[in-house]
């Protein structure tokens, strides 16, 4: 990568990011008083004790431990490959939006183009066990937003996150691209089934992590990831979420950082609608089309003509089974009672609709209409 720091400077930044007991608040306090990390590590313990507790001061003044030195060396080797970057708080390419959150990461590992971390962006998040309809909504909204100048940020998780990344990539070379914020080290793709998706994102956007190389997927890392997802964007769209959902953490962090929060409503019978409905009751903006989002944000980079066309997935042409199914999932017997078609004929029509990607069969045997 084109270095904005010397190797010794970057080594000091890496060490500071790895220090136990040093978060962004402590790091900023030290840098405000003593200068950049190289200057911090040049201080005696007595000088450091004026800024931090004695035990931490002695830790910072001691030689770098061998295990930490190995991690620093690994990071320096990692960043030496094409397309890889380490952005520090002092780097001009560090995303400006993150500087407005309460605890910006000390540094970011980036695989891809760091330019994707700047400019208008919207986060699209939701349930891992999303319905087919929810995934289609996420994909369609993200495709439209990316096609009209809004970068799509999400967390590379199963379900809504993956659909949002795919939708943004589907916007093609003229789209604004997508950013995946990872809850693991940048060299660990989680879930593993998203390896190909991650490669596509690195080629047409950016993968980002604040966690050291080799860090695995642990529950406590994902709220930290979520604050970066929210911080990079001007607003967060929640597509589907249960009442106790990590997506609601992202929405809360977005609201606390002054970002807009949007939610797509769903069926009153679906557990995956309850989180969105709770957000709407708390003041999130109810959205039915991508235009609802861009209108709320003042349009951003969307041209006026495109804004007028911004719609959610179109309603399908009339079909007796689709009309009877509506937009709530139904079991076969309930659907048969509603439409009055003989069971054998209904099963044949449902199969045709599945093959045409108009209907999906859920894991519990119900049928869900797709847009």
């Amino acid at each position: 990568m084109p270095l904005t720091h010397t190797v010794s400077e970057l080594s000091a930044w890496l060490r500071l990011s790895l220090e136990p007991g040093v978060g962004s608040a402590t790091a900023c306090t030290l840098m405000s008083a003593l200068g950049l990390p190289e200057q911090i590590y040049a201080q005696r313990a007595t000088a450091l004790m004026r800024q931090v507790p004695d035990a931490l001061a002695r830790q910072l003044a001691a030689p770098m431990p061998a295990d930490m030195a190995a991690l620093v060396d690994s990071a320096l080797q990692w960043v030496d490959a094409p397309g890889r970057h380490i952005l520090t708080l002092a780097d001009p390419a560090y995303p400006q939006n993150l500087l407005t959150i309460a605890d910006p990461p000390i540094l970011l590992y980036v695989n891809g183009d760091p330019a994707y971390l700047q400019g208008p962006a919207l986060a699209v998040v939701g349930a891992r066990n999303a319905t087919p309809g929810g995934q289609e909504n996420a994909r369609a909204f993200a495709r439209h937003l990316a096609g009209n100048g809004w970068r799509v940020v999400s967390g590379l998780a199963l379900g809504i996150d993956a659909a949002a990344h795919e939708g943004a990539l589907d916007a093609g070379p003229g789209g604004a691209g997508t950013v995946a914020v990872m809850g693991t080290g940048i060299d660990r793709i989680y879930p593993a089934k998203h390896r190909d998706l991650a490669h596509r994102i690195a080629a047409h956007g950016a993968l980002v992590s604040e966690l050291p190389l080799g860090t695995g997927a642990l529950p406590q890392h994902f709220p930290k990831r979520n604050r970066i997802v929210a911080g990079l964007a001007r607003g967060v769209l929640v597509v589907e979420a249960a009442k106790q959902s990590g997506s609601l953490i992202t929405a809360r962090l977005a609201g606390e950082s002054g970002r807009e929060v949007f939610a797509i409503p769903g069926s009153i019978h679906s557990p995956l609608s309850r989180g969105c409905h709770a957000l709407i009751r708390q003041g999130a903006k109810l959205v039915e089309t991508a235009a609802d989002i861009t209108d709320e944000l003042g349009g951003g980079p969307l041209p006026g003509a495109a804004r007028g066309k911004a719609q959610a997935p179109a309603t399908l042409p009339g079909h007796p089974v689709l009309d009877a199914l509506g937009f709530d999932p139904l079991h076969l017997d309930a659907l048969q009672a509603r439409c009055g078609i003989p069971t054998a004929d209904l099963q044949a029509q449902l199969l045709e609709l599945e093959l045409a990607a108009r209907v999906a069969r859920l894991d519990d045997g119900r049928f869900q209409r797709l847009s």
Side-chain angles (χ1 to χ4, degrees):
M1 77 169 191
L3 284 173
T4 56
H5 303 291
T6 65
V7 171
S8 62
E9 288 170 345
L10 185 55
S11 296
W13 276 102
L14 285 162
R15 178 181 174 182
L16 188 63
S17 73
L18 296 167
E19 290 283 3
V22 175
S24 59
T26 301
C28 289
T29 296
L30 287 165
M31 287 188 285
S32 178
L34 303 171
L36 295 178
E38 267 199 314
Q39 285 71 53
I40 293 170
Y41 286 114
Q43 303 296 318
R44 295 179 181 273
T46 50
L48 293 166
M49 286 175 186
R50 301 189 188 103
Q51 310 300 328
V52 296
D54 292 2
L56 181 54
R58 286 190 288 270
Q59 173 184 309
L60 295 171
M64 193 188 319
D67 57 345
M68 189 182 293
L71 285 172
V72 169
D73 287 344
S74 294
L76 292 174
Q77 291 176 32
W78 177 85
V79 80
D80 200 36
R84 297 175 177 178
H85 311 264
I86 296 176
L87 306 181
T88 73
L89 279 167
D91 196 310
Y94 189 93
Q96 296 301 298
N97 280 347
L98 283 186
L99 296 176
T100 67
I101 69 174
D103 54 346
I106 294 171
L107 56 78
L108 294 169
Y109 299 83
V110 180
N111 188 358
D113 187 348
Y116 282 92
L117 306 184
Q118 310 285 2
L122 284 159
V124 180
V125 299
R128 285 177 169 80
N129 59 333
T131 67
Q135 292 179 66
E136 179 55 32
N137 283 337
R139 191 174 287 109
F141 270 69
R143 182 170 55 246
H144 176 87
L145 291 165
N148 287 276
W150 290 89
R151 198 147 294 128
V152 173
V153 182
S154 199
L156 199 63
L158 296 169
I160 296 301
D161 287 18
H165 291 306
E166 290 165 354
L169 292 170
D170 287 347
T178 186
V179 172
V181 184
M182 300 167 60
T184 61
I186 202 159
D187 57 335
R188 296 282 189 94
I189 304 302
Y190 179 81
K193 67 181 294 184
H194 285 171
R195 190 172 303 277
D196 289 344
L197 175 59
H199 288 320
R200 292 175 62 205
I201 293 170
H204 303 285
L207 301 170
V208 182
S209 177
E210 69 172 324
L211 298 168
L213 296 178
T215 302
L218 296 173
Q220 63 267 30
H221 293 154
F222 293 98
K224 290 167 64 69
R225 174 205 64 183
N226 292 348
R227 90 187 194 287
I228 299 176
V229 171
L232 285 171
R234 286 177 55 185
V236 172
L237 170 65
V238 182
V239 178
E240 282 185 333
K243 205 155 188 185
Q244 304 296 327
S245 165
S247 301
L248 303 189
I249 296 175
T250 308
R252 175 177 59 78
L253 293 169
E256 291 173 354
S257 299
R259 274 63 169 171
E260 296 289 347
V261 179
F262 306 96
I264 297 177
S267 167
I268 61 172
H269 304 294
S270 170
L272 293 178
S273 297
R274 290 174 188 160
C276 292
H277 293 170
L279 288 173
I280 292 166
R281 286 195 297 271
Q282 294 162 14
K285 309 295 192 306
L286 183 156
V287 295
E288 298 174 309
T289 72
D292 294 336
I293 298 173
T294 53
D295 286 346
E296 183 66 30
L297 295 176
L302 286 174
R307 286 179 58 198
K309 297 176 184 175
Q311 299 293 327
T315 301
L316 292 164
H319 184 290
V321 174
L322 290 177
D323 292 342
L325 181 57
F327 291 93
D328 289 346
L330 285 178
H331 285 289
L332 180 67
D333 55 354
L335 180 58
Q336 196 278 332
R338 185 180 287 183
C339 66
I341 298 174
T343 301
D345 293 342
L346 177 59
Q347 289 175 322
Q349 292 190 43
L350 284 169
L351 178 59
E352 291 179 4
L353 290 168
E354 282 189 81
L355 293 174
R358 292 183 165 191
V359 165
R361 190 189 305 259
L362 305 183
D363 292 341
D364 62 3
R366 292 182 299 167
F367 292 88
Q368 167 77 59
R369 177 175 176 171
L370 300 178
S371 297

